Amino acid sequence: TYNVPGGLQSAFASGESYFIVTRAVDLAGNAEFGPGNSDIPSGTGITVSYDDQAPTAEITLPVHMGSYRTVTLPTISGTMDDTATGNSGIREVRIVLKRDDNSTYWRGPGNDVFLPGIYRSTVTIHTSSWTISNFTLSTNRLYRLWIEAEDYAGNVLSVSDGSINSDTGGIWFRYDLDA
């Protein structure tokens, strides 16, 4: 493990690749190999990508302030991207689905219930999009939805529990079988 000094760390640009080589020099000044790029032995070093920015993610269905029935909302879906923010790749996308009238939260596929306490459900990731299905919504209700994403570098696009509790951010939509 090596901690990069602050001055060098600030020189890195997110999304760029860097070739790192270690070169040993003993106390007598004898070097493992010469100081030039052409002196580096084949197979020595490693290329790493630097990513210090959170990915982006959006909800595309349902749309904000939309009204839906079962046939118009078979899945909840959206897009995600990490190529513009570092390109380490998307590791995970999560949603928080809240039933507004009683402040309960969907427990995810296989646990198709709404219970008290914020719950983040992991979605299915595709190349540049995500989906989640197998949910049952109550008719004539307002729902709120938030999205989170994490890339392989550990950068997170997140929503705080405080924002969820105060209904800040995210989108809302109405589900009504009678419409």
Side-chain angles (χ1 to χ4, degrees), residues 86-120:
N87 209 21
S88 64
I90 302 291
R91 189 180 80 75
E92 186 174 69
V93 176
R94 299 172 296 276
I95 63 163
V96 176
L97 178 58
K98 178 182 180 180
R99 186 173 143 180
D100 200 54
D101 65 315
N102 63 4
S103 293
T104 55
Y105 300 85
W106 185 52
R107 293 302 190 231
N111 303 304
D112 195 21
V113 294
F114 283 78
L115 297 171
I118 296 170
Y119 188 83
R120 289 161 168 86

PDB file of all heavy atoms in Angstrom, residues 86-120:
ATOM      1  N   GLY A  86     -14.974   9.327 -14.615  1.00  0.00           N
ATOM      2  CA  GLY A  86     -13.849   8.535 -14.143  1.00  0.00           C
ATOM      3  C   GLY A  86     -13.716   7.190 -14.796  1.00  0.00           C
ATOM      4  O   GLY A  86     -12.641   6.623 -14.880  1.00  0.00           O
ATOM      5  N   ASN A  87     -14.828   6.608 -15.204  1.00  0.00           N
ATOM      6  CA  ASN A  87     -14.830   5.397 -16.015  1.00  0.00           C
ATOM      7  C   ASN A  87     -14.310   4.142 -15.334  1.00  0.00           C
ATOM      8  O   ASN A  87     -13.745   3.276 -15.987  1.00  0.00           O
ATOM      9  CB  ASN A  87     -14.085   5.636 -17.327  1.00  0.00           C
ATOM     10  CG  ASN A  87     -14.609   4.761 -18.444  1.00  0.00           C
ATOM     11  OD1 ASN A  87     -15.730   4.279 -18.372  1.00  0.00           O
ATOM     12  ND2 ASN A  87     -13.808   4.560 -19.458  1.00  0.00           N
ATOM     13  N   SER A  88     -14.513   3.998 -14.028  1.00  0.00           N
ATOM     14  CA  SER A  88     -14.155   2.734 -13.394  1.00  0.00           C
ATOM     15  C   SER A  88     -15.277   1.710 -13.563  1.00  0.00           C
ATOM     16  O   SER A  88     -15.075   0.531 -13.333  1.00  0.00           O
ATOM     17  CB  SER A  88     -13.846   2.934 -11.911  1.00  0.00           C
ATOM     18  OG  SER A  88     -14.987   3.378 -11.200  1.00  0.00           O
ATOM     19  N   GLY A  89     -16.457   2.160 -13.965  1.00  0.00           N
ATOM     20  CA  GLY A  89     -17.592   1.265 -14.189  1.00  0.00           C
ATOM     21  C   GLY A  89     -18.574   1.296 -13.039  1.00  0.00           C
ATOM     22  O   GLY A  89     -18.220   1.589 -11.901  1.00  0.00           O
ATOM     23  N   ILE A  90     -19.802   0.982 -13.338  1.00  0.00           N
ATOM     24  CA  ILE A  90     -20.870   0.979 -12.327  1.00  0.00           C
ATOM     25  C   ILE A  90     -20.864  -0.347 -11.579  1.00  0.00           C
ATOM     26  O   ILE A  90     -20.943  -1.409 -12.185  1.00  0.00           O
ATOM     27  CB  ILE A  90     -22.250   1.197 -12.987  1.00  0.00           C
ATOM     28  CG1 ILE A  90     -22.292   2.515 -13.762  1.00  0.00           C
ATOM     29  CG2 ILE A  90     -23.360   1.118 -11.942  1.00  0.00           C
ATOM     30  CD1 ILE A  90     -22.251   3.756 -12.924  1.00  0.00           C
ATOM     31  N   ARG A  91     -20.751  -0.293 -10.272  1.00  0.00           N
ATOM     32  CA  ARG A  91     -20.787  -1.482  -9.422  1.00  0.00           C
ATOM     33  C   ARG A  91     -22.205  -1.807  -8.984  1.00  0.00           C
ATOM     34  O   ARG A  91     -22.620  -2.963  -8.964  1.00  0.00           O
ATOM     35  CB  ARG A  91     -19.913  -1.302  -8.184  1.00  0.00           C
ATOM     36  CG  ARG A  91     -19.753  -2.584  -7.374  1.00  0.00           C
ATOM     37  CD  ARG A  91     -18.890  -2.384  -6.160  1.00  0.00           C
ATOM     38  NE  ARG A  91     -19.596  -1.786  -5.055  1.00  0.00           N
ATOM     39  CZ  ARG A  91     -20.473  -2.415  -4.277  1.00  0.00           C
ATOM     40  NH1 ARG A  91     -20.793  -3.658  -4.497  1.00  0.00           N
ATOM     41  NH2 ARG A  91     -21.043  -1.788  -3.266  1.00  0.00           N
ATOM     42  N   GLU A  92     -22.973  -0.776  -8.619  1.00  0.00           N
ATOM     43  CA  GLU A  92     -24.309  -1.030  -8.069  1.00  0.00           C
ATOM     44  C   GLU A  92     -25.188   0.205  -8.222  1.00  0.00           C
ATOM     45  O   GLU A  92     -24.710   1.327  -8.132  1.00  0.00           O
ATOM     46  CB  GLU A  92     -24.186  -1.400  -6.580  1.00  0.00           C
ATOM     47  CG  GLU A  92     -25.470  -1.813  -5.932  1.00  0.00           C
ATOM     48  CD  GLU A  92     -25.259  -2.306  -4.508  1.00  0.00           C
ATOM     49  OE1 GLU A  92     -24.917  -1.472  -3.639  1.00  0.00           O
ATOM     50  OE2 GLU A  92     -25.432  -3.505  -4.273  1.00  0.00           O
ATOM     51  N   VAL A  93     -26.475  -0.035  -8.469  1.00  0.00           N
ATOM     52  CA  VAL A  93     -27.483   1.019  -8.489  1.00  0.00           C
ATOM     53  C   VAL A  93     -28.592   0.585  -7.544  1.00  0.00           C
ATOM     54  O   VAL A  93     -28.988  -0.583  -7.531  1.00  0.00           O
ATOM     55  CB  VAL A  93     -28.041   1.251  -9.920  1.00  0.00           C
ATOM     56  CG1 VAL A  93     -29.158   2.284  -9.909  1.00  0.00           C
ATOM     57  CG2 VAL A  93     -26.926   1.689 -10.862  1.00  0.00           C
ATOM     58  N   ARG A  94     -29.068   1.532  -6.738  1.00  0.00           N
ATOM     59  CA  ARG A  94     -30.130   1.256  -5.766  1.00  0.00           C
ATOM     60  C   ARG A  94     -31.226   2.303  -5.893  1.00  0.00           C
ATOM     61  O   ARG A  94     -30.952   3.449  -6.250  1.00  0.00           O
ATOM     62  CB  ARG A  94     -29.577   1.296  -4.336  1.00  0.00           C
ATOM     63  CG  ARG A  94     -28.503   0.282  -4.060  1.00  0.00           C
ATOM     64  CD  ARG A  94     -27.843   0.487  -2.706  1.00  0.00           C
ATOM     65  NE  ARG A  94     -27.123   1.752  -2.612  1.00  0.00           N
ATOM     66  CZ  ARG A  94     -25.888   1.952  -3.033  1.00  0.00           C
ATOM     67  NH1 ARG A  94     -25.217   0.988  -3.604  1.00  0.00           N
ATOM     68  NH2 ARG A  94     -25.320   3.128  -2.906  1.00  0.00           N
ATOM     69  N   ILE A  95     -32.458   1.887  -5.564  1.00  0.00           N
ATOM     70  CA  ILE A  95     -33.557   2.849  -5.487  1.00  0.00           C
ATOM     71  C   ILE A  95     -34.150   2.819  -4.091  1.00  0.00           C
ATOM     72  O   ILE A  95     -34.020   1.830  -3.365  1.00  0.00           O
ATOM     73  CB  ILE A  95     -34.677   2.567  -6.518  1.00  0.00           C
ATOM     74  CG1 ILE A  95     -35.339   1.212  -6.253  1.00  0.00           C
ATOM     75  CG2 ILE A  95     -34.152   2.676  -7.934  1.00  0.00           C
ATOM     76  CD1 ILE A  95     -36.681   1.035  -6.925  1.00  0.00           C
ATOM     77  N   VAL A  96     -34.785   3.912  -3.744  1.00  0.00           N
ATOM     78  CA  VAL A  96     -35.624   3.970  -2.554  1.00  0.00           C
ATOM     79  C   VAL A  96     -37.013   4.319  -3.068  1.00  0.00           C
ATOM     80  O   VAL A  96     -37.202   5.343  -3.718  1.00  0.00           O
ATOM     81  CB  VAL A  96     -35.136   5.050  -1.558  1.00  0.00           C
ATOM     82  CG1 VAL A  96     -36.098   5.156  -0.374  1.00  0.00           C
ATOM     83  CG2 VAL A  96     -33.726   4.745  -1.085  1.00  0.00           C
ATOM     84  N   LEU A  97     -37.986   3.438  -2.829  1.00  0.00           N
ATOM     85  CA  LEU A  97     -39.367   3.633  -3.253  1.00  0.00           C
ATOM     86  C   LEU A  97     -40.222   3.787  -2.000  1.00  0.00           C
ATOM     87  O   LEU A  97     -40.319   2.864  -1.197  1.00  0.00           O
ATOM     88  CB  LEU A  97     -39.848   2.456  -4.105  1.00  0.00           C
ATOM     89  CG  LEU A  97     -41.295   2.483  -4.589  1.00  0.00           C
ATOM     90  CD1 LEU A  97     -41.575   3.733  -5.427  1.00  0.00           C
ATOM     91  CD2 LEU A  97     -41.609   1.220  -5.379  1.00  0.00           C
ATOM     92  N   LYS A  98     -40.818   4.949  -1.855  1.00  0.00           N
ATOM     93  CA  LYS A  98     -41.569   5.304  -0.645  1.00  0.00           C
ATOM     94  C   LYS A  98     -43.044   5.518  -0.979  1.00  0.00           C
ATOM     95  O   LYS A  98     -43.375   6.250  -1.913  1.00  0.00           O
ATOM     96  CB  LYS A  98     -40.991   6.591  -0.053  1.00  0.00           C
ATOM     97  CG  LYS A  98     -41.708   7.108   1.178  1.00  0.00           C
ATOM     98  CD  LYS A  98     -41.072   8.419   1.635  1.00  0.00           C
ATOM     99  CE  LYS A  98     -41.731   8.984   2.864  1.00  0.00           C
ATOM    100  NZ  LYS A  98     -41.091  10.255   3.279  1.00  0.00           N
ATOM    101  N   ARG A  99     -43.913   4.867  -0.227  1.00  0.00           N
ATOM    102  CA  ARG A  99     -45.351   5.141  -0.331  1.00  0.00           C
ATOM    103  C   ARG A  99     -45.607   6.368   0.527  1.00  0.00           C
ATOM    104  O   ARG A  99     -45.361   6.368   1.729  1.00  0.00           O
ATOM    105  CB  ARG A  99     -46.152   3.937   0.150  1.00  0.00           C
ATOM    106  CG  ARG A  99     -47.627   4.097  -0.067  1.00  0.00           C
ATOM    107  CD  ARG A  99     -48.362   2.834   0.250  1.00  0.00           C
ATOM    108  NE  ARG A  99     -49.629   3.198   0.864  1.00  0.00           N
ATOM    109  CZ  ARG A  99     -50.527   2.341   1.268  1.00  0.00           C
ATOM    110  NH1 ARG A  99     -50.303   1.044   1.146  1.00  0.00           N
ATOM    111  NH2 ARG A  99     -51.643   2.755   1.817  1.00  0.00           N
ATOM    112  N   ASP A 100     -46.115   7.423  -0.087  1.00  0.00           N
ATOM    113  CA  ASP A 100     -46.166   8.734   0.558  1.00  0.00           C
ATOM    114  C   ASP A 100     -47.187   8.843   1.686  1.00  0.00           C
ATOM    115  O   ASP A 100     -46.923   9.503   2.689  1.00  0.00           O
ATOM    116  CB  ASP A 100     -46.452   9.802  -0.500  1.00  0.00           C
ATOM    117  CG  ASP A 100     -46.066  11.184  -0.042  1.00  0.00           C
ATOM    118  OD1 ASP A 100     -44.898  11.362   0.355  1.00  0.00           O
ATOM    119  OD2 ASP A 100     -46.927  12.085  -0.075  1.00  0.00           O
ATOM    120  N   ASP A 101     -48.344   8.203   1.571  1.00  0.00           N
ATOM    121  CA  ASP A 101     -49.418   8.413   2.556  1.00  0.00           C
ATOM    122  C   ASP A 101     -49.109   7.828   3.928  1.00  0.00           C
ATOM    123  O   ASP A 101     -49.616   8.300   4.935  1.00  0.00           O
ATOM    124  CB  ASP A 101     -50.757   7.878   2.039  1.00  0.00           C
ATOM    125  CG  ASP A 101     -50.757   6.370   1.865  1.00  0.00           C
ATOM    126  OD1 ASP A 101     -49.768   5.830   1.316  1.00  0.00           O
ATOM    127  OD2 ASP A 101     -51.744   5.725   2.270  1.00  0.00           O
ATOM    128  N   ASN A 102     -48.277   6.797   3.989  1.00  0.00           N
ATOM    129  CA  ASN A 102     -47.967   6.198   5.293  1.00  0.00           C
ATOM    130  C   ASN A 102     -46.466   6.073   5.558  1.00  0.00           C
ATOM    131  O   ASN A 102     -46.053   5.419   6.509  1.00  0.00           O
ATOM    132  CB  ASN A 102     -48.650   4.837   5.429  1.00  0.00           C
ATOM    133  CG  ASN A 102     -48.159   3.819   4.425  1.00  0.00           C
ATOM    134  OD1 ASN A 102     -47.251   4.081   3.641  1.00  0.00           O
ATOM    135  ND2 ASN A 102     -48.770   2.642   4.444  1.00  0.00           N
ATOM    136  N   SER A 103     -45.648   6.697   4.714  1.00  0.00           N
ATOM    137  CA  SER A 103     -44.180   6.704   4.882  1.00  0.00           C
ATOM    138  C   SER A 103     -43.605   5.307   5.096  1.00  0.00           C
ATOM    139  O   SER A 103     -42.795   5.069   5.990  1.00  0.00           O
ATOM    140  CB  SER A 103     -43.777   7.628   6.036  1.00  0.00           C
ATOM    141  OG  SER A 103     -44.072   8.964   5.693  1.00  0.00           O
ATOM    142  N   THR A 104     -44.025   4.375   4.231  1.00  0.00           N
ATOM    143  CA  THR A 104     -43.437   3.038   4.252  1.00  0.00           C
ATOM    144  C   THR A 104     -42.594   2.866   2.994  1.00  0.00           C
ATOM    145  O   THR A 104     -42.746   3.597   2.018  1.00  0.00           O
ATOM    146  CB  THR A 104     -44.524   1.936   4.327  1.00  0.00           C
ATOM    147  OG1 THR A 104     -45.437   2.107   3.240  1.00  0.00           O
ATOM    148  CG2 THR A 104     -45.260   2.003   5.659  1.00  0.00           C
ATOM    149  N   TYR A 105     -41.694   1.886   3.027  1.00  0.00           N
ATOM    150  CA  TYR A 105     -40.694   1.715   1.971  1.00  0.00           C
ATOM    151  C   TYR A 105     -40.733   0.297   1.425  1.00  0.00           C
ATOM    152  O   TYR A 105     -40.822  -0.674   2.179  1.00  0.00           O
ATOM    153  CB  TYR A 105     -39.293   2.029   2.517  1.00  0.00           C
ATOM    154  CG  TYR A 105     -39.198   3.435   3.022  1.00  0.00           C
ATOM    155  CD1 TYR A 105     -39.582   3.772   4.313  1.00  0.00           C
ATOM    156  CD2 TYR A 105     -38.762   4.447   2.182  1.00  0.00           C
ATOM    157  CE1 TYR A 105     -39.518   5.085   4.758  1.00  0.00           C
ATOM    158  CE2 TYR A 105     -38.692   5.757   2.623  1.00  0.00           C
ATOM    159  CZ  TYR A 105     -39.079   6.061   3.916  1.00  0.00           C
ATOM    160  OH  TYR A 105     -39.012   7.359   4.352  1.00  0.00           O
ATOM    161  N   TRP A 106     -40.616   0.208   0.089  1.00  0.00           N
ATOM    162  CA  TRP A 106     -40.631  -1.092  -0.576  1.00  0.00           C
ATOM    163  C   TRP A 106     -39.386  -1.871  -0.213  1.00  0.00           C
ATOM    164  O   TRP A 106     -38.269  -1.339  -0.212  1.00  0.00           O
ATOM    165  CB  TRP A 106     -40.713  -0.875  -2.084  1.00  0.00           C
ATOM    166  CG  TRP A 106     -40.846  -2.108  -2.891  1.00  0.00           C
ATOM    167  CD1 TRP A 106     -41.761  -3.115  -2.741  1.00  0.00           C
ATOM    168  CD2 TRP A 106     -40.046  -2.483  -4.005  1.00  0.00           C
ATOM    169  NE1 TRP A 106     -41.587  -4.070  -3.704  1.00  0.00           N
ATOM    170  CE2 TRP A 106     -40.533  -3.711  -4.505  1.00  0.00           C
ATOM    171  CE3 TRP A 106     -38.968  -1.885  -4.654  1.00  0.00           C
ATOM    172  CZ2 TRP A 106     -39.978  -4.359  -5.585  1.00  0.00           C
ATOM    173  CZ3 TRP A 106     -38.412  -2.521  -5.745  1.00  0.00           C
ATOM    174  CH2 TRP A 106     -38.915  -3.747  -6.201  1.00  0.00           C
ATOM    175  N   ARG A 107     -39.566  -3.141   0.075  1.00  0.00           N
ATOM    176  CA  ARG A 107     -38.470  -4.005   0.497  1.00  0.00           C
ATOM    177  C   ARG A 107     -37.790  -4.746  -0.640  1.00  0.00           C
ATOM    178  O   ARG A 107     -36.925  -5.587  -0.426  1.00  0.00           O
ATOM    179  CB  ARG A 107     -38.952  -5.015   1.540  1.00  0.00           C
ATOM    180  CG  ARG A 107     -39.345  -4.364   2.858  1.00  0.00           C
ATOM    181  CD  ARG A 107     -38.172  -3.607   3.408  1.00  0.00           C
ATOM    182  NE  ARG A 107     -38.398  -3.166   4.774  1.00  0.00           N
ATOM    183  CZ  ARG A 107     -38.228  -1.930   5.183  1.00  0.00           C
ATOM    184  NH1 ARG A 107     -37.837  -0.992   4.347  1.00  0.00           N
ATOM    185  NH2 ARG A 107     -38.418  -1.594   6.431  1.00  0.00           N
ATOM    186  N   GLY A 108     -38.167  -4.482  -1.882  1.00  0.00           N
ATOM    187  CA  GLY A 108     -37.475  -5.067  -3.024  1.00  0.00           C
ATOM    188  C   GLY A 108     -38.124  -6.330  -3.544  1.00  0.00           C
ATOM    189  O   GLY A 108     -39.006  -6.900  -2.912  1.00  0.00           O
ATOM    190  N   PRO A 109     -37.670  -6.785  -4.729  1.00  0.00           N
ATOM    191  CA  PRO A 109     -38.223  -8.003  -5.332  1.00  0.00           C
ATOM    192  C   PRO A 109     -38.070  -9.189  -4.385  1.00  0.00           C
ATOM    193  O   PRO A 109     -37.066  -9.331  -3.711  1.00  0.00           O
ATOM    194  CB  PRO A 109     -37.374  -8.213  -6.587  1.00  0.00           C
ATOM    195  CG  PRO A 109     -36.734  -6.900  -6.856  1.00  0.00           C
ATOM    196  CD  PRO A 109     -36.599  -6.215  -5.527  1.00  0.00           C
ATOM    197  N   GLY A 110     -39.080 -10.018  -4.352  1.00  0.00           N
ATOM    198  CA  GLY A 110     -39.045 -11.180  -3.466  1.00  0.00           C
ATOM    199  C   GLY A 110     -39.542 -10.864  -2.073  1.00  0.00           C
ATOM    200  O   GLY A 110     -39.853 -11.758  -1.295  1.00  0.00           O
ATOM    201  N   ASN A 111     -39.597  -9.603  -1.715  1.00  0.00           N
ATOM    202  CA  ASN A 111     -40.109  -9.153  -0.420  1.00  0.00           C
ATOM    203  C   ASN A 111     -41.167  -8.082  -0.684  1.00  0.00           C
ATOM    204  O   ASN A 111     -41.138  -7.038  -0.088  1.00  0.00           O
ATOM    205  CB  ASN A 111     -39.004  -8.537   0.440  1.00  0.00           C
ATOM    206  CG  ASN A 111     -37.861  -9.490   0.649  1.00  0.00           C
ATOM    207  OD1 ASN A 111     -38.049 -10.588   1.122  1.00  0.00           O
ATOM    208  ND2 ASN A 111     -36.676  -9.073   0.256  1.00  0.00           N
ATOM    209  N   ASP A 112     -42.045  -8.315  -1.591  1.00  0.00           N
ATOM    210  CA  ASP A 112     -42.936  -7.306  -2.145  1.00  0.00           C
ATOM    211  C   ASP A 112     -43.883  -6.713  -1.107  1.00  0.00           C
ATOM    212  O   ASP A 112     -45.098  -6.906  -1.174  1.00  0.00           O
ATOM    213  CB  ASP A 112     -43.719  -7.910  -3.312  1.00  0.00           C
ATOM    214  CG  ASP A 112     -44.394  -6.863  -4.157  1.00  0.00           C
ATOM    215  OD1 ASP A 112     -43.972  -5.692  -4.109  1.00  0.00           O
ATOM    216  OD2 ASP A 112     -45.349  -7.224  -4.856  1.00  0.00           O
ATOM    217  N   VAL A 113     -43.308  -6.019  -0.135  1.00  0.00           N
ATOM    218  CA  VAL A 113     -44.098  -5.358   0.904  1.00  0.00           C
ATOM    219  C   VAL A 113     -43.512  -3.974   1.160  1.00  0.00           C
ATOM    220  O   VAL A 113     -42.354  -3.702   0.854  1.00  0.00           O
ATOM    221  CB  VAL A 113     -44.107  -6.158   2.230  1.00  0.00           C
ATOM    222  CG1 VAL A 113     -44.823  -7.487   2.068  1.00  0.00           C
ATOM    223  CG2 VAL A 113     -42.699  -6.374   2.761  1.00  0.00           C
ATOM    224  N   PHE A 114     -44.322  -3.109   1.703  1.00  0.00           N
ATOM    225  CA  PHE A 114     -43.899  -1.781   2.143  1.00  0.00           C
ATOM    226  C   PHE A 114     -43.937  -1.777   3.664  1.00  0.00           C
ATOM    227  O   PHE A 114     -44.962  -2.089   4.261  1.00  0.00           O
ATOM    228  CB  PHE A 114     -44.840  -0.698   1.587  1.00  0.00           C
ATOM    229  CG  PHE A 114     -44.602  -0.373   0.143  1.00  0.00           C
ATOM    230  CD1 PHE A 114     -45.071  -1.195  -0.862  1.00  0.00           C
ATOM    231  CD2 PHE A 114     -43.903   0.770  -0.210  1.00  0.00           C
ATOM    232  CE1 PHE A 114     -44.850  -0.895  -2.197  1.00  0.00           C
ATOM    233  CE2 PHE A 114     -43.673   1.085  -1.543  1.00  0.00           C
ATOM    234  CZ  PHE A 114     -44.157   0.250  -2.539  1.00  0.00           C
ATOM    235  N   LEU A 115     -42.816  -1.433   4.290  1.00  0.00           N
ATOM    236  CA  LEU A 115     -42.702  -1.417   5.744  1.00  0.00           C
ATOM    237  C   LEU A 115     -42.039  -0.121   6.191  1.00  0.00           C
ATOM    238  O   LEU A 115     -41.348   0.533   5.404  1.00  0.00           O
ATOM    239  CB  LEU A 115     -41.860  -2.605   6.228  1.00  0.00           C
ATOM    240  CG  LEU A 115     -42.417  -4.001   5.940  1.00  0.00           C
ATOM    241  CD1 LEU A 115     -41.378  -5.057   6.273  1.00  0.00           C
ATOM    242  CD2 LEU A 115     -43.700  -4.233   6.715  1.00  0.00           C
ATOM    243  N   PRO A 116     -42.188   0.252   7.464  1.00  0.00           N
ATOM    244  CA  PRO A 116     -41.494   1.446   7.973  1.00  0.00           C
ATOM    245  C   PRO A 116     -39.977   1.252   7.901  1.00  0.00           C
ATOM    246  O   PRO A 116     -39.475   0.130   7.944  1.00  0.00           O
ATOM    247  CB  PRO A 116     -41.960   1.533   9.427  1.00  0.00           C
ATOM    248  CG  PRO A 116     -43.210   0.727   9.498  1.00  0.00           C
ATOM    249  CD  PRO A 116     -43.069  -0.345   8.468  1.00  0.00           C
ATOM    250  N   GLY A 117     -39.257   2.354   7.799  1.00  0.00           N
ATOM    251  CA  GLY A 117     -37.790   2.312   7.768  1.00  0.00           C
ATOM    252  C   GLY A 117     -37.263   2.347   6.352  1.00  0.00           C
ATOM    253  O   GLY A 117     -37.652   1.540   5.512  1.00  0.00           O
ATOM    254  N   ILE A 118     -36.389   3.290   6.075  1.00  0.00           N
ATOM    255  CA  ILE A 118     -35.826   3.464   4.738  1.00  0.00           C
ATOM    256  C   ILE A 118     -35.119   2.188   4.291  1.00  0.00           C
ATOM    257  O   ILE A 118     -34.360   1.590   5.051  1.00  0.00           O
ATOM    258  CB  ILE A 118     -34.853   4.656   4.712  1.00  0.00           C
ATOM    259  CG1 ILE A 118     -35.618   5.953   5.000  1.00  0.00           C
ATOM    260  CG2 ILE A 118     -34.114   4.743   3.381  1.00  0.00           C
ATOM    261  CD1 ILE A 118     -34.730   7.152   5.237  1.00  0.00           C
ATOM    262  N   TYR A 119     -35.379   1.785   3.055  1.00  0.00           N
ATOM    263  CA  TYR A 119     -34.767   0.580   2.498  1.00  0.00           C
ATOM    264  C   TYR A 119     -34.294   0.875   1.082  1.00  0.00           C
ATOM    265  O   TYR A 119     -35.024   1.458   0.289  1.00  0.00           O
ATOM    266  CB  TYR A 119     -35.769  -0.577   2.499  1.00  0.00           C
ATOM    267  CG  TYR A 119     -35.155  -1.891   2.109  1.00  0.00           C
ATOM    268  CD1 TYR A 119     -34.478  -2.653   3.047  1.00  0.00           C
ATOM    269  CD2 TYR A 119     -35.231  -2.352   0.804  1.00  0.00           C
ATOM    270  CE1 TYR A 119     -33.888  -3.856   2.698  1.00  0.00           C
ATOM    271  CE2 TYR A 119     -34.639  -3.558   0.442  1.00  0.00           C
ATOM    272  CZ  TYR A 119     -33.972  -4.303   1.395  1.00  0.00           C
ATOM    273  OH  TYR A 119     -33.388  -5.485   1.044  1.00  0.00           O
ATOM    274  N   ARG A 120     -33.091   0.464   0.766  1.00  0.00           N
ATOM    275  CA  ARG A 120     -32.512   0.671  -0.561  1.00  0.00           C
ATOM    276  C   ARG A 120     -32.504  -0.661  -1.301  1.00  0.00           C
ATOM    277  O   ARG A 120     -31.859  -1.612  -0.858  1.00  0.00           O
ATOM    278  CB  ARG A 120     -31.105   1.249  -0.430  1.00  0.00           C
ATOM    279  CG  ARG A 120     -31.133   2.698   0.051  1.00  0.00           C
ATOM    280  CD  ARG A 120     -29.802   3.146   0.627  1.00  0.00           C
ATOM    281  NE  ARG A 120     -29.752   4.577   0.817  1.00  0.00           N
ATOM    282  CZ  ARG A 120     -30.200   5.215   1.899  1.00  0.00           C
ATOM    283  NH1 ARG A 120     -30.775   4.534   2.894  1.00  0.00           N
ATOM    284  NH2 ARG A 120     -30.104   6.531   1.989  1.00  0.00           N
TER     285      ARG A 120
END
